[in-house]
Amino acid sequence: MQSTMSYTARFDENNQEIVLAGSIRPKGADELAELRKTFDRAIQATRGTLYLNAKRLVQLNNAGFQEITNFVKSAGLQKPNLKITVITSSYVGWSLRKFSLLQKIGSNVTVEQYDKDFYPGQSVLEDSGFIPILRTQTKMTWRHERDLLPRHGLKPAMAVADICCGIGDFAALVYKEFQPSRLLAIDHSKPSLAYARKVASDFHIEGIEYVHGDAANLLVEDNEFDFVTCRHSLQVFDRPELILKELFRICKPGGRVYITNEKNSHCLGEPRADSIQWTYNEVARLWAHFKMDIELGPKSRRFLLDAGFDDVQVESFMVTNRDGDPQDFADVIASWEDVYAGQMAVQRGDTAEFIARFRQGFQDHISAALHPKGYAGWPIWAASARKPR
Ligand SMILES: C[S@@+](CC[C@H](N)C(=O)[O-])C[C@H]1O[C@@H](n2cnc3c(N)ncnc32)[C@H](O)[C@@H]1O
C-alpha cells in the first residue's frame, strides 16, 4: 500500500489547540511518531479544554484515525478532567461522521462542525440577491484594475488564487488578460459559484478551478501561489485578520497579496450632495450592524503590515459616472439600493421613514450619475504587499 503522508500537526499552546492539516494516510503506526509527539506534548501542556482542529485535514485512513483514537484514550487516562473538542469542517465530507465516533470513547469528547454561523454578515452575502451587485461592480472596477494590477506585481503565467471570488467574473477577466499558469477561485456562496461555473462554460473558459471553501480555513497547501487576490471581501468579515493569515500562508515567499476595499461614507455626488452623503454614512452604520466594516479601505496598509507582509503599496481610485456609459454606474447604485435598503435595512428592523430617506440618497446618487452636468463617485483602495522571503 502506498503511504501518503503530507500532513502537518502543530500544537499552539496559547490556544490549547492542535492544528492538523493535509493528508494522514500512513502505511503503519511507526510513520506517526511525529504526530504522537505533538499529541503527548499537548496533553502535558493543557488544562481544561484541548482543541483538535481538523478543519484542514482532507484525508485520513484507518491507521491515522486509530492514532487519533489512541490519543483521545491516552488523554482520558492521563488527565481524566481534560475535555477534548474536535472541530471539523463542512467542506470535508467525511469529517463530522468519522470524528463523531470519538464521542463513544467518553463524555469528555465533543465534536463540532465549524460553519457559517461564525460570520455574522454571511447570511446577507451568500444570498443570490447579492449577484447583481457583484456583476455590476466588477464591470466598473475592471477598467481601473486591469491597468493597476501589473503595478502590484501581477504578470502572465503566474499561479494565482482569488479568495472570496464571488461570481468569478474577476477571475475570468484575469484569466483572459494575464493567462495565469493556474487560477484557483474560492468562495463560500454556492449560488455565486454556480453562477461562476455557468459563465465560465458560456465563455468557453476551462482553466479556472472554482472551489467551494472557507477563506479562514483554506484547503490549500502553504506557499502555493505567486499572486493572491481578495477583493471587496476583508470588509465583510468581523475578523479580517484571520483571512489575511490564510492569504499570507498560501502565498509563496516573495509573492504578493492584493486586496481591494471601500470606504463607503466617501461615496459622493453632485447635485444633492447632502442627501447622498447622509445615505452613505448610514450604509457604513448598517454594515457595522452586521459586523462588517465597509470603511476598511484606508486601513488596508495597517492590516497588511500587522499580518507580517512587507513592501506594502496602497493606491486609491474613484469609479465615476465619467467611466464609460453613466448608466453602468447608475446600475451599480441601483443594485446597492436593492440590497441595502430593500433587504439589510428591513432585516435590521428599520422604520418605513428611515428606509424612505435611505432610498432617497441612492436615488439622488443615480440622478447625479445620469445628470448631464452631474458627477458621481465611489472610491476604492487597492493595496498589495509582499510575503517576506
Ligand atoms: C463583497 S463580495 C466580493 C466578491 C468578489 N471578490 C467581487 O469583488 O466581486 C464578498 C464575497 O465573500 C464571500 N464569502 C463570505 N464569507 C466567506 C468565507 N468564509 N469564505 C469564502 N468566501 C466567503 C461571499 O460569498 C461573497 O462572494
Side-chain angles (χ1 to χ4, degrees), residues 268-271 276 318-322 365 368-369 371 373-377:
L268 50 84
E270 283 289 349
I276 295 167
M318 180 86 89
V319 169
T320 81
N321 60 331
R322 308 307 298 148
H365 205 198
H371 193 288
K373 295 182 191 168
Y375 185 80

Side-chain angles (χ1 to χ4, degrees), residues 19-39:
V19 183
L20 299 179
S23 174
I24 305 184
R25 297 167 70 197
K27 265 194 295 198
D30 53 324
E31 288 184 23
L32 292 166
E34 210 43 52
L35 187 62
R36 217 166 293 144
K37 234 192 275 168
T38 307
F39 284 157

Side-chain angles (χ1 to χ4, degrees), residues 279-299:
T279 285
Y280 285 98
N281 282 333
E282 290 302 326
V283 170
R285 288 207 187 102
L286 180 61
W287 275 57
H289 173 82
F290 290 96
K291 305 262 185 293
M292 304 189 281
D293 183 6
I294 202 160
E295 301 285 274
L296 193 144
K299 302 172 195 167

Side-chain angles (χ1 to χ4, degrees), residues 24 34 50 73 75 84 89 92 108 117 151 173 220 225 233 237 247 261 292 294 305 310 346 350:
I24 305 184
E34 210 43 52
L50 172 59
K73 285 183 181 159
I84 298 181
S89 157
V92 182
N108 62 332
D117 295 341
R151 292 204 290 280
L173 291 163
V220 174
F225 293 93
S233 295
F237 294 99
L247 304 183
N261 291 284
M292 304 189 281
I294 202 160
L305 288 170
D310 64 15
V346 174
D350 290 337

